[in-house]
């Protein structure tokens, strides 16, 4: 039986979610909903969660004056609640401070060690806590990481290393054999190019830090947060228990900032312990807000809950998927959201549902017959093909072409004239056709706009009454 398993990045708890974090989570949510419909609820696993063993957590807790674990519990609860309120249908919310995760990480690291892939050495280099990664000197501007605008620290310590270089050939072979493994193609090209230039071993522990998961065979070191975090994709599905195989390999949805971790380090770690790499890595672009990077210091980190309260969860989902082609960078503006809300949602879909329910109530006592509609099958199939290929904007454009066509059918045929002239033999089939079109549209719309789909299905339960506006103006 076919199964589908999908993950989001696990998010740092040094801050609350903004609309950018929501975007990756929504992509996973649309995929999970789509595959649940296709394969059955029990055949799909969708996990998200929080990345907590980071130096950023320690700093943020200190700033807030709270004890680290208490701070972490509080923030993780905010993330989980936010996703729940936004209707994200995750099966699991994994936290990297949970015992089940710690157990998985320890087991995994022991396996890596058994493969002879971990050795002790010294590392010196510029470290950016914002990135939680070592930086090249050439990436710094005046000693600062330009992206996080913070001074890099010179770290010199005894570390354990992972023999990443050993997997260079295996990785290249894997990429070659799996040309669709990273989408979009541009990211695939970037990653393969990078590996072709040669890989260096990486440091995977920190001696100077206390907060984190201790290395099993040398607890004076804590495991580097990225190594620990990547393993969440296995701990969520039950690793090291064999039941993890039921859901592995998963599809990982991530942002373009973390491709090297997911497409190079992670598969190499998996190769080291003899586990298959993820099924696919799906990489979203970044969006800005009114042309600016989303950041707290710029004060533009829009709270997704506030937007959802104003426009509704589904309108926000619709906008993000329709406006920004998957994989590209894009700009989020509330102005554009408002335009789409009015044009596509209120005047488009909302108006269609309200007109059709109204006419079925008035002209047919609320009764219609679901039938095969005169929509080109290729259009319906095209929606699903686009969705399966992460072309979310194209899928929605196709759905909206059906909405427009149905509204046009009403304008062209003017059912109200048929009613006035008492042409029942024309009116009834037309109403059946219209109601059936709305239901067909709804069936492909559901993964994108689950709340709206539910409302439409309820509105079309017979006898039909004129529906409340789906998108109040
Ligand atoms: O990197 N546009 O966590 P993080 C689109 N803990 N997506 C955005 C975005 C934007 N403006 N801003 C953030 C981490 N994202 C690690 C991950 S996984 C094993 C560990 C999304 O809290 C995007 O998916 O910094 C990005 O990769 C992720 O949030 C980064 O979240």
């Amino acid at each position: 039986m076919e199964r589908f398993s999908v993950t989001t990045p696990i998010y740092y708890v040094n801050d609350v979610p903004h609309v950018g974090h929501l975007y990756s989570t929504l992509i996973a949510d649309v995929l999970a909903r789509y595959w649940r419909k296709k394969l059955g609820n029990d055949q799909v696993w969708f996990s998200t969660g929080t990345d907590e063993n980071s130096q950023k957590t320690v700093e943020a807790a200190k700033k807030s004056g709270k004890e680290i674990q208490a701070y972490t519990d509080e923030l993780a609860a905010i993330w989980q609640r936010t996703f729940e309120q936004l209707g994200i249908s995750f099966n699991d919310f994994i936290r990297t401070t949970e015992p089940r995760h710690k157990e998985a990480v320890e087991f995994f690291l022991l396996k890596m060690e058994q493969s002879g892939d971990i050795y002790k050495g010294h590392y010196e280099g510029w470290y950016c806590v914002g990135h939680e990664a070592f930086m090249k000197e050439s990436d710094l501007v005046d000693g600062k990481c330009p992206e996080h605008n913070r001074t890099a620290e010179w770290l010199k310590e005894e570390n354990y290393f992972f023999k990443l270089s050993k997997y260079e050939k295996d990785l290249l072979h894997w990429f070659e054999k799996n040309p669709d493994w990273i989408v979009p193609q541009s990211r695939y090209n970037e990653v393969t190019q990078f590996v072709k230039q040669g890989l260096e071993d990486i440091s995977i522990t920190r001696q100077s830090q206390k907060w984190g998961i201790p290395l099993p065979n040398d607890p004076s070191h804590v495991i580097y947060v990225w190594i620990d975090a990547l393993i969440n994709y296995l701990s969520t599905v039950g690793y090291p228990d064999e039941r993890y195989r039921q859901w592995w390999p998963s599809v990982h949805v991530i942002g373009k900032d973390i491709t090297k971790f997911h497409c190079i380090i992670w598969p190499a770690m998996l190769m080291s312990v003899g586990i298959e790499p993820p099924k696919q890595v799906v990489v979203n672009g970044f969006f800005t807000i009114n042309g600016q990077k989303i950041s707290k210091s710029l004060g533009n980190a829009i709270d997704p809950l506030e937007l959802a309260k104003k426009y509704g969860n589904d309108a926000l989902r619709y906008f993000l998927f329709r406006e920004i082609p998957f994989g590209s960078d894009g700009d989020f503006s509330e102005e554009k959201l408002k335009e789409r809300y009015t044009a596509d949602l209120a005047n488009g879909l909302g108006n269609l549902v309200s007109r059709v329910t109204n006419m079925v109530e008035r002209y047919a006592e609320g009764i219609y017959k679901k039938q095969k509609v005169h929509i080109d099958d290729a259009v319906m199939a095209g929606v699903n093909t686009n969705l399966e290929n992460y072309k979310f904007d194209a899928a929605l454009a196709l759905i909206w072409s059906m909405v427009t066509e149905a509204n046009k059918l009403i304008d062209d045929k003017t059912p109200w004239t048929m009613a006035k002239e008492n042409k029942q033999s024309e009116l009834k089939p037309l109403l059946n056709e219209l109601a059936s079109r709305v239901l067909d549209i709804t069936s492909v719309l559901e993964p994108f706009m689950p709340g709206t789909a539910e409302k439409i299905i309820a509105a079309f339960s017979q006898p039909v009454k004129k529906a409340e506006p789906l998108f109040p103006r």
Side-chain angles (χ1 to χ4, degrees):
M1 184 76 115
E2 199 187 341
R3 292 200 176 93
F4 180 80
S5 148
V6 64
T7 66
T8 72
I10 48 169
Y11 302 101
Y12 287 129
V13 287
N14 64 323
D15 212 341
V16 296
H18 62 57
V19 70
H21 302 116
L22 175 66
Y23 183 55
S24 302
T25 312
L26 282 180
I27 292 171
D29 187 65
V30 168
L31 295 172
R33 288 177 187 274
Y34 172 77
W35 288 104
R36 282 194 193 109
K37 233 175 120 134
K38 195 156 166 172
L39 307 174
N41 285 346
D42 298 344
Q43 302 305 110
V44 172
W45 185 263
F46 165 20
S47 81
T48 185
T50 41
D51 187 354
E52 304 179 3
N53 300 315
S54 152
Q55 204 44 33
K56 300 193 206 208
T57 311
V58 179
E59 288 181 1
K62 205 162 164 194
K63 221 166 147 186
S64 74
K66 293 190 175 112
E67 186 268 318
I68 306 177
Q69 189 64 56
Y71 167 84
T72 308
D73 290 346
E74 197 178 298
L75 265 287
I78 292 179
W79 280 84
Q80 179 164 351
R81 204 168 53 235
T82 303
F83 286 162
E84 277 164 3
Q85 287 174 355
L86 291 164
I88 304 299
S89 64
F90 54 85
N91 295 88
D92 189 15
F93 189 95
I94 180 117
R95 300 181 51 193
T96 56
T97 51
E98 286 178 81
R100 60 169 172 154
H101 175 69
K102 194 168 169 242
E103 191 193 326
V105 170
E106 284 168 354
F107 193 89
F108 195 100
L109 270 279
L110 283 173
K111 284 267 174 202
M112 285 170 81
E113 201 162 349
Q114 282 162 16
S115 304
D117 286 345
I118 294 182
Y119 64 92
K120 212 177 204 177
H122 278 87
Y123 200 93
E124 282 187 52
W126 293 107
Y127 193 82
C128 167
V129 176
H131 271 96
E132 284 288 11
F134 281 103
M135 308 280 291
K136 285 197 190 124
E137 182 135 13
S138 56
D139 291 334
L140 304 178
V141 179
D142 297 332
K144 281 185 172 177
C145 160
E147 205 181 315
H148 292 97
N149 195 29
R150 60 185 289 166
T151 309
E153 297 164 29
W154 183 258
L155 280 191
K156 181 178 178 181
E157 46 175 43
E158 181 191 84
N159 283 166
Y160 285 88
F161 284 75
F162 167 49
K163 287 186 187 164
L164 181 63
S165 59
K166 178 176 154 186
Y167 292 97
E168 199 177 296
K169 283 212 174 63
D170 291 337
L171 284 169
L172 287 173
H173 184 64
W174 174 262
F175 299 149
E176 205 181 313
K177 253 186 22 202
N178 300 282
D180 300 325
W181 187 63
I182 306 172
V183 278
Q185 188 68 38
S186 55
R187 301 285 166 220
Y188 175 91
N189 297 342
E190 240 170 56
V191 169
T192 47
Q193 259 331 96
F194 187 86
V195 177
K196 277 181 191 155
Q197 283 165 18
L199 293 177
E200 283 172 25
D201 295 348
I202 53 162
S203 144
I204 58 160
T205 62
R206 297 283 174 270
Q207 210 175 19
S208 52
Q209 290 172 18
K210 295 283 158 284
W211 178 249
I213 302 179
L215 187 70
N217 282 338
D218 184 352
S220 70
H221 289 250
V222 301
I223 297 164
Y224 172 39
V225 61
W226 262 105
I227 298 296
D228 139 20
L230 288 163
I231 299 171
N232 96 84
Y233 299 129
L234 285 177
S235 44
T236 171
V237 289
Y239 180 86
D241 188 294
E242 283 296 302
R243 76 193 137 96
Y244 84 86
R245 291 180 191 278
Q246 186 184 359
W247 297 114
W248 192 257
S250 311
V251 171
H252 296 331
V253 177
I254 60 165
K256 67 171 184 180
D257 54 332
I258 54 181
T259 39
K260 280 181 198 154
F261 292 104
H262 285 81
C263 303
I264 301 172
I265 298 177
W266 179 225
M269 285 166 65
L270 288 160
M271 286 169 182
S272 166
V273 304
I275 297 179
E276 195 185 333
K279 189 163 163 187
Q280 200 173 36
V281 184
V282 176
V283 187
N284 67 253
F286 258 47
F287 53 86
T288 46
I289 291 186
N290 301 321
Q292 285 189 306
K293 182 177 186 289
I294 304 180
S295 99
K296 214 171 192 180
S297 48
L298 291 172
N300 66 355
I302 301 184
D303 177 0
L305 284 175
E306 242 160 66
L307 278 178
K309 207 158 78 193
K310 217 156 142 189
Y311 301 96
N313 283 349
D314 280 6
L316 181 56
R317 291 169 78 106
Y318 173 76
F319 176 74
L320 292 175
F321 287 116
R322 180 76 196 256
E323 187 72 20
I324 302 155
F326 170 77
S328 318
D329 292 340
D331 192 49
F332 178 94
S333 93
E334 202 172 329
E335 224 25 69
K336 284 191 266 178
L337 167 56
K338 272 187 209 154
E339 278 167 30
R340 289 248 180 227
Y341 185 93
T342 307
D344 301 1
L345 299 179
N347 297 344
L349 180 64
N351 193 31
L352 175 66
V353 169
S354 136
R355 290 165 102 187
V356 177
T357 49
N358 182 32
M359 291 189 294
V360 173
E361 180 183 15
R362 282 178 59 185
Y363 305 144
E365 285 92 43
I367 303 302
Y368 65 92
K369 207 165 148 228
K370 175 83 174 75
Q371 62 185 37
K372 168 121 185 62
V373 298
H374 302 108
I375 298 180
D376 190 349
D377 283 342
V379 174
M380 290 286 281
V383 174
N384 292 342
T385 311
N386 277 317
L387 191 157
E388 287 183 21
N389 289 300
Y390 316 109
K391 297 195 167 111
F392 305 112
D393 58 324
L396 285 172
L398 275 180
I399 298 177
W400 254 259
S401 73
M402 295 192 263
V403 170
T404 307
E405 202 184 312
N407 268 325
K408 186 166 180 297
L409 191 64
I410 301 175
D411 298 339
D412 290 350
K413 301 262 170 164
T414 59
W416 45 91
T417 333
M418 293 177 185
K420 215 194 255 158
E421 293 167 2
N422 212 5
K423 290 185 182 153
Q424 284 298 322
S425 60
E426 283 176 48
L427 182 56
K428 280 271 165 68
L430 177 61
L431 294 177
N432 289 342
E433 167 80 18
L434 286 168
S436 305
R437 279 183 184 236
V438 174
L439 289 172
D440 281 0
I441 290 170
T442 305
S443 75
V444 282
L445 182 66
E446 201 189 308
F448 292 103
M449 303 179 74
T452 304
E454 206 178 300
K455 282 187 199 156
I456 298 176
I457 291 166
F460 276 88
S461 82
Q462 307 191 56
V464 174
K465 290 203 169 57
K466 181 175 192 240
E468 293 290 318
L470 289 173
F471 305 100
R473 280 167 234 251

